[in-house]
Amino acid sequence: MSRLVVQMQTSADGHVEAADPAVQWQVWDWGQNWPWDDELKRDFNETFRAVDRILLSRKMVEEGYIDHWTRIAESHPDEPDFAFARKVGDAEKIVFSTAREGGHLRWPRTRWAAAGLAATIARLKAGPGADMIAFGGTGFVAALAGAGVVDEYQLYVNPTAVGRGESLFRSVAGGLRLTLVRSKSYACGIVVNTYTSAGQVNP
């Protein structure tokens, strides 16, 4: 059985998206300037070593996720810090959409999900393969949490409070109990909390 890992940046007050888009709350906004410290970069890349499939929302793909990291990988072909970008290109990528399939996906090793969210992930987990990791906007990741299909949450807590914003767990009915399995702080101010799901509070 493979696992589904969700990795999200959050604010110190628990939001994954600020209500005010002008609030610059992330230490790293995925741009060219990468102010994470070396230890966090190494640990971040280590996560990808156990991954062979990446789950993405249609919106994330259309907004340039694959194109961006393909360019980054090409411009840093031998740098260990950017091993994760090369993995984005090499891994199988499965794209989820609430609309019908939108035709051919032009990226190699990229395909549409064959069925709905829960059914597709159950089939992927039961089949061969290493861990899967999911990236997407708040809506996609909240849907994964709400469907109860996430095995591990890796929350990258930034040292900024945003006041108001979106919750990763907005679609979870009845609450969700989490088990903290690891917590590590880094020199750049990020704290990575890793949780497994212990089930609903009120099933």
Side-chain angles (χ1 to χ4, degrees), residues 59-106:
K59 181 180 180 182
M60 182 76 109
V61 171
E62 290 177 343
E63 290 180 349
Y65 176 89
I66 300 174
D67 290 329
H68 174 73
W69 292 119
T70 298
R71 288 193 300 270
I72 294 297
E74 290 171 350
S75 61
H76 300 84
D78 302 313
E79 295 181 41
D81 283 350
F82 293 93
F84 76 92
R86 295 189 289 275
K87 176 59 73 79
V88 170
D90 294 342
E92 179 185 16
K93 293 166 285 293
I94 302 165
V95 182
F96 290 80
S97 175
T98 54
R100 291 189 175 274
E101 295 179 10
H104 174 69
L105 289 165
R106 61 183 173 84

Side-chain angles (χ1 to χ4, degrees), residues 78-175:
D78 302 313
E79 295 181 41
D81 283 350
F82 293 93
F84 76 92
R86 295 189 289 275
K87 176 59 73 79
V88 170
D90 294 342
E92 179 185 16
K93 293 166 285 293
I94 302 165
V95 182
F96 290 80
S97 175
T98 54
R100 291 189 175 274
E101 295 179 10
H104 174 69
L105 289 165
R106 61 183 173 84
W107 301 273
R109 294 172 293 282
T110 304
R111 62 181 175 86
W112 294 105
L117 192 71
T120 296
I121 292 173
R123 180 177 54 79
L124 292 170
K125 286 184 179 183
D131 285 352
M132 302 175 283
I133 195 165
F135 294 103
T138 306
F140 175 59
V141 179
L144 293 172
V149 296
V150 179
D151 297 292
E152 182 173 289
Y153 294 93
Q154 297 176 1
L155 303 183
Y156 283 54
V157 184
N158 288 256
T160 313
V162 302
R164 295 182 301 112
E166 289 284 357
S167 168
L168 166 60
F169 301 104
R170 70 186 191 192
S171 299
V172 174

Side-chain angles (χ1 to χ4, degrees), residues 2 4 8 19-20 129-130 147 167 187-188 197:
S2 62
L4 174 58
M8 288 288 282
D20 180 356
S167 168
C188 66
S197 173

